[in-house]
Amino acid sequence: MDKKLKSDYLNRIQAIGIFFLCCTWICRGQEEIHLADRREIFVDHYLIDKLDGVFLKLHEPRDEGPVFYFDKPWEGAFSGYVTIIKDGERFCAYYRGEPEAGKDGNIGEVTCYAESNDGIHWEKPNLKLYQVKGTYDNNTVLANRPPFSHNFAPFLDTNPQTLSEEKYKALSGTSDSGLTAWISPDGIHWKKKQEKSVMEKGEFDSQNVSFWSVQEQCYVCYFRTWSTGFYDGFRTVSKATSTDFIHWSEQKEMTYGDTPQEHLYTNQTSPYFRAPHISVAIGGRFMPGRQVLTEEQAEKLDVQSDYYKDCSDVFFMTSRGGYEYVRTFMEAFIRPGIGLNNWVSRSNYPACNVVQTGEYEMSLYVNQDYAQPAAHLHRYSMRLDGFTSLSAPFSGGEMTTKNFTFSGKRLEINYSTSAAGSLKFELQDEQGTPIPGYSLADADEIIGNEIARTVSWKGRTDVSLPASQKVRLRIWMKDADLYSVRFDDTE
């Protein structure tokens, strides 16, 4: 074969390959989305097909101030790795108590407990379970059990098959010990599920979080690994799965799409309680060597050791299962506050889990003033579903969804507008043609600020359609934010 024929042949083969890749991409892009009656929050482009003058917006949580200080003799400046659990009307906080910087998993570390009736006002009960610092009058639920108090990370098990005596579960340990499984009927009295560790491969030198995944119908664990080897490269996140909380799959490193690699010190991945098929990861981004304080400023703040030569902030990313995180926003979710006290190493690390603390409000909690006498847990609040939104300026714009099916009877939205702003909704068939009676011309204008509002067309709210019918939404917006949508099955 001469050079020209060979070149033409290779070009044709390459073109055929590209053609088939494009066809595969197009087919995947047109895969049907089954919404059923679940709530969708606008944290990614999962439902979005086209944006015209509308954009995804990351919202800034409101600073609500300190909720409690790590002021007990067994707590102190290096307390951290907080987990918040809402169990009915009871809010529980678990965290490492550590007065001095030391080796991970040392004998002095304890697991502390605080509780609240509203998530805002907290107390530390005198549990009298362990003798610590010479007294049983303390709030520890695990003590004198190195290395397990270093990063004890519990969760409320929502697996419908779980036993009552295992209502609460936890994983903890270091690279030396591996991760050990713990169980409890009440979140206060804990014991090992078995003596042998359940996971051994991993650095585990951070808060390793686990939970029952509704989306994947198994237990999942997101834990610390390093990108290029044992304690080498970037701090990153790997994942393993289990059906019984004892036998775990081989770990696999999570991916982050086309985003720059960063040190993700904690990941705090947890299912969002109003849309548990979506996991939100509100973790701590670590910037090693990015020093803000001078030695004199650190001494004035009484920052211990060398914990002022780096800085950290709070990031936001999401996952819908599998081994992929979506980092729609690279900007900080919470910036370090005014003043130098939160520009120190390992401050601003969020607690695991977001919880509802009011009729319209949810809260997240963040460690602040780390390595200082004033170390404490801080609360931030947001409206329900208010991590992000579809946002439109005064000039207006619109969004069109991908094709999907649903099973609800009415369309419920969480939204806000200005006095001059509004929203309108159009229900289309899969070709993009307005369904008679559900066009923009039929749509009732929506103005206001509500967590739950039913969309209507000339007063009609019923959107019952055959379960297999593919549709799409066209949403027109002006000076407005749309936080979530849901096709609700209730009347």
Side-chain angles (χ1 to χ4, degrees), residues 50-84:
K50 181 180 178 183
L51 295 172
D52 184 4
V54 174
F55 59 96
L56 286 174
K57 179 179 180 180
L58 181 67
H59 290 276
E60 183 178 355
R62 295 184 296 274
D63 186 339
E64 302 289 0
V67 291
F68 62 80
Y69 287 81
F70 303 122
D71 53 5
K72 299 297 184 183
W74 46 86
E75 296 176 350
F78 294 90
S79 296
Y81 292 155
V82 182
T83 299
I84 305 291

PDB file of all heavy atoms in Angstrom, residues 50-84:
ATOM      1  N   LYS A  50     -30.471  23.037  28.678  1.00  0.00           N
ATOM      2  CA  LYS A  50     -30.098  24.302  28.060  1.00  0.00           C
ATOM      3  C   LYS A  50     -30.342  25.452  29.030  1.00  0.00           C
ATOM      4  O   LYS A  50     -31.385  25.519  29.681  1.00  0.00           O
ATOM      5  CB  LYS A  50     -30.914  24.526  26.776  1.00  0.00           C
ATOM      6  CG  LYS A  50     -30.583  25.801  26.030  1.00  0.00           C
ATOM      7  CD  LYS A  50     -31.450  25.944  24.776  1.00  0.00           C
ATOM      8  CE  LYS A  50     -31.157  27.245  24.038  1.00  0.00           C
ATOM      9  NZ  LYS A  50     -32.050  27.415  22.857  1.00  0.00           N
ATOM     10  N   LEU A  51     -29.353  26.335  29.144  1.00  0.00           N
ATOM     11  CA  LEU A  51     -29.469  27.553  29.936  1.00  0.00           C
ATOM     12  C   LEU A  51     -29.364  28.757  29.002  1.00  0.00           C
ATOM     13  O   LEU A  51     -28.466  28.830  28.162  1.00  0.00           O
ATOM     14  CB  LEU A  51     -28.355  27.625  30.982  1.00  0.00           C
ATOM     15  CG  LEU A  51     -28.365  26.557  32.085  1.00  0.00           C
ATOM     16  CD1 LEU A  51     -27.089  26.650  32.921  1.00  0.00           C
ATOM     17  CD2 LEU A  51     -29.589  26.717  32.981  1.00  0.00           C
ATOM     18  N   ASP A  52     -30.277  29.684  29.163  1.00  0.00           N
ATOM     19  CA  ASP A  52     -30.273  30.902  28.344  1.00  0.00           C
ATOM     20  C   ASP A  52     -30.521  32.098  29.266  1.00  0.00           C
ATOM     21  O   ASP A  52     -31.655  32.402  29.620  1.00  0.00           O
ATOM     22  CB  ASP A  52     -31.358  30.816  27.266  1.00  0.00           C
ATOM     23  CG  ASP A  52     -31.338  32.013  26.321  1.00  0.00           C
ATOM     24  OD1 ASP A  52     -30.435  32.877  26.451  1.00  0.00           O
ATOM     25  OD2 ASP A  52     -32.240  32.103  25.460  1.00  0.00           O
ATOM     26  N   GLY A  53     -29.444  32.736  29.682  1.00  0.00           N
ATOM     27  CA  GLY A  53     -29.572  33.882  30.583  1.00  0.00           C
ATOM     28  C   GLY A  53     -29.758  33.486  32.036  1.00  0.00           C
ATOM     29  O   GLY A  53     -29.933  34.344  32.905  1.00  0.00           O
ATOM     30  N   VAL A  54     -29.753  32.199  32.320  1.00  0.00           N
ATOM     31  CA  VAL A  54     -29.902  31.676  33.680  1.00  0.00           C
ATOM     32  C   VAL A  54     -28.617  30.926  34.026  1.00  0.00           C
ATOM     33  O   VAL A  54     -27.974  30.345  33.147  1.00  0.00           O
ATOM     34  CB  VAL A  54     -31.121  30.735  33.771  1.00  0.00           C
ATOM     35  CG1 VAL A  54     -31.213  30.073  35.134  1.00  0.00           C
ATOM     36  CG2 VAL A  54     -32.403  31.499  33.475  1.00  0.00           C
ATOM     37  N   PHE A  55     -28.228  30.927  35.294  1.00  0.00           N
ATOM     38  CA  PHE A  55     -26.995  30.270  35.694  1.00  0.00           C
ATOM     39  C   PHE A  55     -27.178  29.573  37.042  1.00  0.00           C
ATOM     40  O   PHE A  55     -28.109  29.872  37.796  1.00  0.00           O
ATOM     41  CB  PHE A  55     -25.849  31.280  35.783  1.00  0.00           C
ATOM     42  CG  PHE A  55     -26.087  32.401  36.761  1.00  0.00           C
ATOM     43  CD1 PHE A  55     -25.593  32.332  38.060  1.00  0.00           C
ATOM     44  CD2 PHE A  55     -26.804  33.538  36.384  1.00  0.00           C
ATOM     45  CE1 PHE A  55     -25.812  33.358  38.969  1.00  0.00           C
ATOM     46  CE2 PHE A  55     -27.029  34.572  37.290  1.00  0.00           C
ATOM     47  CZ  PHE A  55     -26.538  34.476  38.585  1.00  0.00           C
ATOM     48  N   LEU A  56     -26.279  28.619  37.325  1.00  0.00           N
ATOM     49  CA  LEU A  56     -26.260  27.964  38.619  1.00  0.00           C
ATOM     50  C   LEU A  56     -25.495  28.843  39.601  1.00  0.00           C
ATOM     51  O   LEU A  56     -24.387  29.299  39.310  1.00  0.00           O
ATOM     52  CB  LEU A  56     -25.603  26.589  38.522  1.00  0.00           C
ATOM     53  CG  LEU A  56     -26.419  25.484  37.852  1.00  0.00           C
ATOM     54  CD1 LEU A  56     -25.575  24.225  37.709  1.00  0.00           C
ATOM     55  CD2 LEU A  56     -27.677  25.185  38.641  1.00  0.00           C
ATOM     56  N   LYS A  57     -26.080  29.040  40.769  1.00  0.00           N
ATOM     57  CA  LYS A  57     -25.517  29.960  41.755  1.00  0.00           C
ATOM     58  C   LYS A  57     -25.259  29.228  43.064  1.00  0.00           C
ATOM     59  O   LYS A  57     -26.110  28.498  43.555  1.00  0.00           O
ATOM     60  CB  LYS A  57     -26.498  31.120  41.987  1.00  0.00           C
ATOM     61  CG  LYS A  57     -26.058  32.143  43.013  1.00  0.00           C
ATOM     62  CD  LYS A  57     -27.102  33.249  43.138  1.00  0.00           C
ATOM     63  CE  LYS A  57     -26.718  34.299  44.160  1.00  0.00           C
ATOM     64  NZ  LYS A  57     -27.762  35.362  44.255  1.00  0.00           N
ATOM     65  N   LEU A  58     -24.067  29.418  43.630  1.00  0.00           N
ATOM     66  CA  LEU A  58     -23.727  28.875  44.944  1.00  0.00           C
ATOM     67  C   LEU A  58     -24.062  29.926  45.997  1.00  0.00           C
ATOM     68  O   LEU A  58     -23.619  31.064  45.914  1.00  0.00           O
ATOM     69  CB  LEU A  58     -22.234  28.540  44.991  1.00  0.00           C
ATOM     70  CG  LEU A  58     -21.698  27.934  46.289  1.00  0.00           C
ATOM     71  CD1 LEU A  58     -22.271  26.544  46.523  1.00  0.00           C
ATOM     72  CD2 LEU A  58     -20.164  27.880  46.258  1.00  0.00           C
ATOM     73  N   HIS A  59     -24.850  29.533  47.005  1.00  0.00           N
ATOM     74  CA  HIS A  59     -25.290  30.494  48.010  1.00  0.00           C
ATOM     75  C   HIS A  59     -24.390  30.459  49.241  1.00  0.00           C
ATOM     76  O   HIS A  59     -23.828  29.410  49.590  1.00  0.00           O
ATOM     77  CB  HIS A  59     -26.744  30.232  48.401  1.00  0.00           C
ATOM     78  CG  HIS A  59     -27.706  30.567  47.314  1.00  0.00           C
ATOM     79  ND1 HIS A  59     -28.191  31.839  47.095  1.00  0.00           N
ATOM     80  CD2 HIS A  59     -28.247  29.793  46.331  1.00  0.00           C
ATOM     81  CE1 HIS A  59     -28.992  31.838  46.054  1.00  0.00           C
ATOM     82  NE2 HIS A  59     -29.045  30.603  45.562  1.00  0.00           N
ATOM     83  N   GLU A  60     -24.291  31.584  49.902  1.00  0.00           N
ATOM     84  CA  GLU A  60     -23.430  31.714  51.082  1.00  0.00           C
ATOM     85  C   GLU A  60     -24.250  31.489  52.352  1.00  0.00           C
ATOM     86  O   GLU A  60     -25.215  32.203  52.605  1.00  0.00           O
ATOM     87  CB  GLU A  60     -22.803  33.112  51.115  1.00  0.00           C
ATOM     88  CG  GLU A  60     -21.844  33.326  52.261  1.00  0.00           C
ATOM     89  CD  GLU A  60     -21.215  34.704  52.239  1.00  0.00           C
ATOM     90  OE1 GLU A  60     -21.456  35.457  51.273  1.00  0.00           O
ATOM     91  OE2 GLU A  60     -20.479  35.030  53.194  1.00  0.00           O
ATOM     92  N   PRO A  61     -23.875  30.494  53.162  1.00  0.00           N
ATOM     93  CA  PRO A  61     -24.602  30.267  54.418  1.00  0.00           C
ATOM     94  C   PRO A  61     -24.495  31.471  55.358  1.00  0.00           C
ATOM     95  O   PRO A  61     -23.513  32.225  55.321  1.00  0.00           O
ATOM     96  CB  PRO A  61     -23.896  29.049  55.012  1.00  0.00           C
ATOM     97  CG  PRO A  61     -23.257  28.367  53.845  1.00  0.00           C
ATOM     98  CD  PRO A  61     -22.855  29.470  52.921  1.00  0.00           C
ATOM     99  N   ARG A  62     -25.510  31.645  56.199  1.00  0.00           N
ATOM    100  CA  ARG A  62     -25.538  32.749  57.158  1.00  0.00           C
ATOM    101  C   ARG A  62     -24.785  32.360  58.426  1.00  0.00           C
ATOM    102  O   ARG A  62     -25.006  31.287  58.993  1.00  0.00           O
ATOM    103  CB  ARG A  62     -26.981  33.111  57.532  1.00  0.00           C
ATOM    104  CG  ARG A  62     -27.798  33.655  56.388  1.00  0.00           C
ATOM    105  CD  ARG A  62     -29.184  34.082  56.874  1.00  0.00           C
ATOM    106  NE  ARG A  62     -29.958  32.950  57.374  1.00  0.00           N
ATOM    107  CZ  ARG A  62     -30.704  32.163  56.599  1.00  0.00           C
ATOM    108  NH1 ARG A  62     -30.765  32.374  55.289  1.00  0.00           N
ATOM    109  NH2 ARG A  62     -31.381  31.153  57.112  1.00  0.00           N
ATOM    110  N   ASP A  63     -23.942  33.249  58.906  1.00  0.00           N
ATOM    111  CA  ASP A  63     -23.172  33.027  60.127  1.00  0.00           C
ATOM    112  C   ASP A  63     -24.083  33.228  61.333  1.00  0.00           C
ATOM    113  O   ASP A  63     -24.607  34.314  61.559  1.00  0.00           O
ATOM    114  CB  ASP A  63     -22.002  34.016  60.171  1.00  0.00           C
ATOM    115  CG  ASP A  63     -21.054  33.762  61.323  1.00  0.00           C
ATOM    116  OD1 ASP A  63     -21.455  33.122  62.314  1.00  0.00           O
ATOM    117  OD2 ASP A  63     -19.905  34.224  61.232  1.00  0.00           O
ATOM    118  N   GLU A  64     -24.296  32.155  62.122  1.00  0.00           N
ATOM    119  CA  GLU A  64     -25.174  32.220  63.291  1.00  0.00           C
ATOM    120  C   GLU A  64     -24.396  32.225  64.605  1.00  0.00           C
ATOM    121  O   GLU A  64     -24.996  32.246  65.676  1.00  0.00           O
ATOM    122  CB  GLU A  64     -26.151  31.034  63.279  1.00  0.00           C
ATOM    123  CG  GLU A  64     -27.030  30.949  62.039  1.00  0.00           C
ATOM    124  CD  GLU A  64     -28.103  32.031  61.980  1.00  0.00           C
ATOM    125  OE1 GLU A  64     -28.168  32.863  62.907  1.00  0.00           O
ATOM    126  OE2 GLU A  64     -28.880  32.032  60.999  1.00  0.00           O
ATOM    127  N   GLY A  65     -23.061  32.193  64.542  1.00  0.00           N
ATOM    128  CA  GLY A  65     -22.252  32.299  65.741  1.00  0.00           C
ATOM    129  C   GLY A  65     -21.916  30.969  66.400  1.00  0.00           C
ATOM    130  O   GLY A  65     -22.361  29.898  65.971  1.00  0.00           O
ATOM    131  N   PRO A  66     -21.124  31.010  67.475  1.00  0.00           N
ATOM    132  CA  PRO A  66     -20.709  29.793  68.181  1.00  0.00           C
ATOM    133  C   PRO A  66     -21.899  29.083  68.833  1.00  0.00           C
ATOM    134  O   PRO A  66     -22.855  29.726  69.268  1.00  0.00           O
ATOM    135  CB  PRO A  66     -19.744  30.307  69.254  1.00  0.00           C
ATOM    136  CG  PRO A  66     -19.331  31.670  68.794  1.00  0.00           C
ATOM    137  CD  PRO A  66     -20.494  32.222  68.039  1.00  0.00           C
ATOM    138  N   VAL A  67     -21.833  27.755  68.908  1.00  0.00           N
ATOM    139  CA  VAL A  67     -22.863  26.991  69.620  1.00  0.00           C
ATOM    140  C   VAL A  67     -22.318  26.355  70.895  1.00  0.00           C
ATOM    141  O   VAL A  67     -23.032  26.246  71.884  1.00  0.00           O
ATOM    142  CB  VAL A  67     -23.536  25.929  68.730  1.00  0.00           C
ATOM    143  CG1 VAL A  67     -24.387  26.576  67.667  1.00  0.00           C
ATOM    144  CG2 VAL A  67     -22.514  24.996  68.101  1.00  0.00           C
ATOM    145  N   PHE A  68     -21.058  25.900  70.877  1.00  0.00           N
ATOM    146  CA  PHE A  68     -20.410  25.522  72.126  1.00  0.00           C
ATOM    147  C   PHE A  68     -18.894  25.504  71.937  1.00  0.00           C
ATOM    148  O   PHE A  68     -18.393  25.367  70.828  1.00  0.00           O
ATOM    149  CB  PHE A  68     -20.917  24.191  72.697  1.00  0.00           C
ATOM    150  CG  PHE A  68     -20.696  22.976  71.845  1.00  0.00           C
ATOM    151  CD1 PHE A  68     -19.463  22.329  71.797  1.00  0.00           C
ATOM    152  CD2 PHE A  68     -21.740  22.434  71.100  1.00  0.00           C
ATOM    153  CE1 PHE A  68     -19.264  21.192  71.035  1.00  0.00           C
ATOM    154  CE2 PHE A  68     -21.565  21.291  70.345  1.00  0.00           C
ATOM    155  CZ  PHE A  68     -20.319  20.677  70.303  1.00  0.00           C
ATOM    156  N   TYR A  69     -18.189  25.679  73.068  1.00  0.00           N
ATOM    157  CA  TYR A  69     -16.736  25.722  73.064  1.00  0.00           C
ATOM    158  C   TYR A  69     -16.177  24.381  73.543  1.00  0.00           C
ATOM    159  O   TYR A  69     -16.796  23.671  74.332  1.00  0.00           O
ATOM    160  CB  TYR A  69     -16.235  26.858  73.962  1.00  0.00           C
ATOM    161  CG  TYR A  69     -16.465  28.219  73.346  1.00  0.00           C
ATOM    162  CD1 TYR A  69     -17.715  28.837  73.435  1.00  0.00           C
ATOM    163  CD2 TYR A  69     -15.463  28.868  72.640  1.00  0.00           C
ATOM    164  CE1 TYR A  69     -17.939  30.073  72.852  1.00  0.00           C
ATOM    165  CE2 TYR A  69     -15.677  30.105  72.057  1.00  0.00           C
ATOM    166  CZ  TYR A  69     -16.922  30.706  72.159  1.00  0.00           C
ATOM    167  OH  TYR A  69     -17.148  31.917  71.575  1.00  0.00           O
ATOM    168  N   PHE A  70     -14.981  24.057  73.060  1.00  0.00           N
ATOM    169  CA  PHE A  70     -14.297  22.841  73.483  1.00  0.00           C
ATOM    170  C   PHE A  70     -13.506  23.168  74.749  1.00  0.00           C
ATOM    171  O   PHE A  70     -12.269  23.229  74.733  1.00  0.00           O
ATOM    172  CB  PHE A  70     -13.394  22.331  72.363  1.00  0.00           C
ATOM    173  CG  PHE A  70     -14.118  22.072  71.065  1.00  0.00           C
ATOM    174  CD1 PHE A  70     -13.746  22.707  69.889  1.00  0.00           C
ATOM    175  CD2 PHE A  70     -15.190  21.182  71.019  1.00  0.00           C
ATOM    176  CE1 PHE A  70     -14.403  22.454  68.694  1.00  0.00           C
ATOM    177  CE2 PHE A  70     -15.856  20.927  69.823  1.00  0.00           C
ATOM    178  CZ  PHE A  70     -15.468  21.567  68.666  1.00  0.00           C
ATOM    179  N   ASP A  71     -14.234  23.403  75.840  1.00  0.00           N
ATOM    180  CA  ASP A  71     -13.636  24.000  77.034  1.00  0.00           C
ATOM    181  C   ASP A  71     -13.464  23.035  78.211  1.00  0.00           C
ATOM    182  O   ASP A  71     -13.083  23.457  79.296  1.00  0.00           O
ATOM    183  CB  ASP A  71     -14.469  25.205  77.487  1.00  0.00           C
ATOM    184  CG  ASP A  71     -15.941  24.877  77.666  1.00  0.00           C
ATOM    185  OD1 ASP A  71     -16.320  23.692  77.537  1.00  0.00           O
ATOM    186  OD2 ASP A  71     -16.735  25.809  77.917  1.00  0.00           O
ATOM    187  N   LYS A  72     -13.750  21.757  78.026  1.00  0.00           N
ATOM    188  CA  LYS A  72     -13.538  20.793  79.086  1.00  0.00           C
ATOM    189  C   LYS A  72     -12.064  20.353  79.090  1.00  0.00           C
ATOM    190  O   LYS A  72     -11.392  20.403  78.047  1.00  0.00           O
ATOM    191  CB  LYS A  72     -14.444  19.577  78.902  1.00  0.00           C
ATOM    192  CG  LYS A  72     -15.938  19.894  78.934  1.00  0.00           C
ATOM    193  CD  LYS A  72     -16.363  20.444  80.281  1.00  0.00           C
ATOM    194  CE  LYS A  72     -17.873  20.672  80.337  1.00  0.00           C
ATOM    195  NZ  LYS A  72     -18.282  21.265  81.628  1.00  0.00           N
ATOM    196  N   PRO A  73     -11.552  19.924  80.247  1.00  0.00           N
ATOM    197  CA  PRO A  73     -10.134  19.528  80.310  1.00  0.00           C
ATOM    198  C   PRO A  73      -9.758  18.438  79.316  1.00  0.00           C
ATOM    199  O   PRO A  73      -8.604  18.352  78.870  1.00  0.00           O
ATOM    200  CB  PRO A  73      -9.975  19.037  81.753  1.00  0.00           C
ATOM    201  CG  PRO A  73     -11.048  19.729  82.523  1.00  0.00           C
ATOM    202  CD  PRO A  73     -12.201  19.854  81.566  1.00  0.00           C
ATOM    203  N   TRP A  74     -10.703  17.564  78.955  1.00  0.00           N
ATOM    204  CA  TRP A  74     -10.437  16.459  78.025  1.00  0.00           C
ATOM    205  C   TRP A  74     -10.776  16.842  76.574  1.00  0.00           C
ATOM    206  O   TRP A  74     -10.688  16.023  75.675  1.00  0.00           O
ATOM    207  CB  TRP A  74     -11.249  15.226  78.429  1.00  0.00           C
ATOM    208  CG  TRP A  74     -12.688  15.548  78.738  1.00  0.00           C
ATOM    209  CD1 TRP A  74     -13.736  15.635  77.852  1.00  0.00           C
ATOM    210  CD2 TRP A  74     -13.214  15.891  80.021  1.00  0.00           C
ATOM    211  NE1 TRP A  74     -14.875  15.993  78.506  1.00  0.00           N
ATOM    212  CE2 TRP A  74     -14.597  16.160  79.845  1.00  0.00           C
ATOM    213  CE3 TRP A  74     -12.659  16.002  81.302  1.00  0.00           C
ATOM    214  CZ2 TRP A  74     -15.427  16.531  80.900  1.00  0.00           C
ATOM    215  CZ3 TRP A  74     -13.486  16.361  82.357  1.00  0.00           C
ATOM    216  CH2 TRP A  74     -14.855  16.615  82.148  1.00  0.00           C
ATOM    217  N   GLU A  75     -11.211  18.089  76.354  1.00  0.00           N
ATOM    218  CA  GLU A  75     -11.503  18.564  74.994  1.00  0.00           C
ATOM    219  C   GLU A  75     -10.325  19.416  74.507  1.00  0.00           C
ATOM    220  O   GLU A  75      -9.297  18.880  74.140  1.00  0.00           O
ATOM    221  CB  GLU A  75     -12.830  19.330  74.995  1.00  0.00           C
ATOM    222  CG  GLU A  75     -14.013  18.464  75.360  1.00  0.00           C
ATOM    223  CD  GLU A  75     -15.323  19.230  75.452  1.00  0.00           C
ATOM    224  OE1 GLU A  75     -15.304  20.478  75.414  1.00  0.00           O
ATOM    225  OE2 GLU A  75     -16.386  18.572  75.547  1.00  0.00           O
ATOM    226  N   GLY A  76     -10.499  20.734  74.420  1.00  0.00           N
ATOM    227  CA  GLY A  76      -9.362  21.577  74.141  1.00  0.00           C
ATOM    228  C   GLY A  76      -9.167  21.994  72.703  1.00  0.00           C
ATOM    229  O   GLY A  76     -10.005  21.765  71.825  1.00  0.00           O
ATOM    230  N   ALA A  77      -8.002  22.601  72.472  1.00  0.00           N
ATOM    231  CA  ALA A  77      -7.715  23.324  71.230  1.00  0.00           C
ATOM    232  C   ALA A  77      -7.696  22.438  69.991  1.00  0.00           C
ATOM    233  O   ALA A  77      -7.898  22.926  68.875  1.00  0.00           O
ATOM    234  CB  ALA A  77      -6.380  24.057  71.359  1.00  0.00           C
ATOM    235  N   PHE A  78      -7.443  21.133  70.166  1.00  0.00           N
ATOM    236  CA  PHE A  78      -7.337  20.248  69.005  1.00  0.00           C
ATOM    237  C   PHE A  78      -8.541  19.317  68.873  1.00  0.00           C
ATOM    238  O   PHE A  78      -8.479  18.284  68.204  1.00  0.00           O
ATOM    239  CB  PHE A  78      -6.027  19.460  69.063  1.00  0.00           C
ATOM    240  CG  PHE A  78      -4.816  20.343  68.914  1.00  0.00           C
ATOM    241  CD1 PHE A  78      -4.210  20.900  70.031  1.00  0.00           C
ATOM    242  CD2 PHE A  78      -4.325  20.672  67.668  1.00  0.00           C
ATOM    243  CE1 PHE A  78      -3.118  21.745  69.895  1.00  0.00           C
ATOM    244  CE2 PHE A  78      -3.243  21.513  67.516  1.00  0.00           C
ATOM    245  CZ  PHE A  78      -2.622  22.058  68.641  1.00  0.00           C
ATOM    246  N   SER A  79      -9.630  19.688  69.508  1.00  0.00           N
ATOM    247  CA  SER A  79     -10.871  18.945  69.317  1.00  0.00           C
ATOM    248  C   SER A  79     -11.350  19.134  67.887  1.00  0.00           C
ATOM    249  O   SER A  79     -11.164  20.205  67.293  1.00  0.00           O
ATOM    250  CB  SER A  79     -11.942  19.431  70.295  1.00  0.00           C
ATOM    251  OG  SER A  79     -11.552  19.177  71.632  1.00  0.00           O
ATOM    252  N   GLY A  80     -12.000  18.118  67.343  1.00  0.00           N
ATOM    253  CA  GLY A  80     -12.450  18.241  65.953  1.00  0.00           C
ATOM    254  C   GLY A  80     -13.107  16.976  65.444  1.00  0.00           C
ATOM    255  O   GLY A  80     -13.529  16.116  66.211  1.00  0.00           O
ATOM    256  N   TYR A  81     -13.161  16.870  64.096  1.00  0.00           N
ATOM    257  CA  TYR A  81     -13.809  15.751  63.411  1.00  0.00           C
ATOM    258  C   TYR A  81     -15.221  15.538  63.959  1.00  0.00           C
ATOM    259  O   TYR A  81     -15.568  14.464  64.452  1.00  0.00           O
ATOM    260  CB  TYR A  81     -12.977  14.479  63.531  1.00  0.00           C
ATOM    261  CG  TYR A  81     -11.671  14.518  62.773  1.00  0.00           C
ATOM    262  CD1 TYR A  81     -10.594  13.715  63.153  1.00  0.00           C
ATOM    263  CD2 TYR A  81     -11.498  15.350  61.665  1.00  0.00           C
ATOM    264  CE1 TYR A  81      -9.392  13.725  62.457  1.00  0.00           C
ATOM    265  CE2 TYR A  81     -10.307  15.377  60.967  1.00  0.00           C
ATOM    266  CZ  TYR A  81      -9.252  14.561  61.366  1.00  0.00           C
ATOM    267  OH  TYR A  81      -8.070  14.589  60.668  1.00  0.00           O
ATOM    268  N   VAL A  82     -16.030  16.580  63.832  1.00  0.00           N
ATOM    269  CA  VAL A  82     -17.374  16.585  64.414  1.00  0.00           C
ATOM    270  C   VAL A  82     -18.371  15.907  63.476  1.00  0.00           C
ATOM    271  O   VAL A  82     -18.303  16.061  62.253  1.00  0.00           O
ATOM    272  CB  VAL A  82     -17.830  18.031  64.701  1.00  0.00           C
ATOM    273  CG1 VAL A  82     -19.215  18.041  65.356  1.00  0.00           C
ATOM    274  CG2 VAL A  82     -16.807  18.748  65.584  1.00  0.00           C
ATOM    275  N   THR A  83     -19.297  15.162  64.063  1.00  0.00           N
ATOM    276  CA  THR A  83     -20.435  14.589  63.344  1.00  0.00           C
ATOM    277  C   THR A  83     -21.711  15.043  64.044  1.00  0.00           C
ATOM    278  O   THR A  83     -21.802  14.966  65.272  1.00  0.00           O
ATOM    279  CB  THR A  83     -20.391  13.052  63.345  1.00  0.00           C
ATOM    280  OG1 THR A  83     -19.206  12.608  62.684  1.00  0.00           O
ATOM    281  CG2 THR A  83     -21.612  12.475  62.630  1.00  0.00           C
ATOM    282  N   ILE A  84     -22.689  15.522  63.270  1.00  0.00           N
ATOM    283  CA  ILE A  84     -23.989  15.921  63.804  1.00  0.00           C
ATOM    284  C   ILE A  84     -25.042  14.942  63.290  1.00  0.00           C
ATOM    285  O   ILE A  84     -25.124  14.695  62.088  1.00  0.00           O
ATOM    286  CB  ILE A  84     -24.367  17.359  63.375  1.00  0.00           C
ATOM    287  CG1 ILE A  84     -23.274  18.353  63.776  1.00  0.00           C
ATOM    288  CG2 ILE A  84     -25.715  17.752  63.964  1.00  0.00           C
ATOM    289  CD1 ILE A  84     -23.135  18.572  65.262  1.00  0.00           C
TER     290      ILE A  84
END
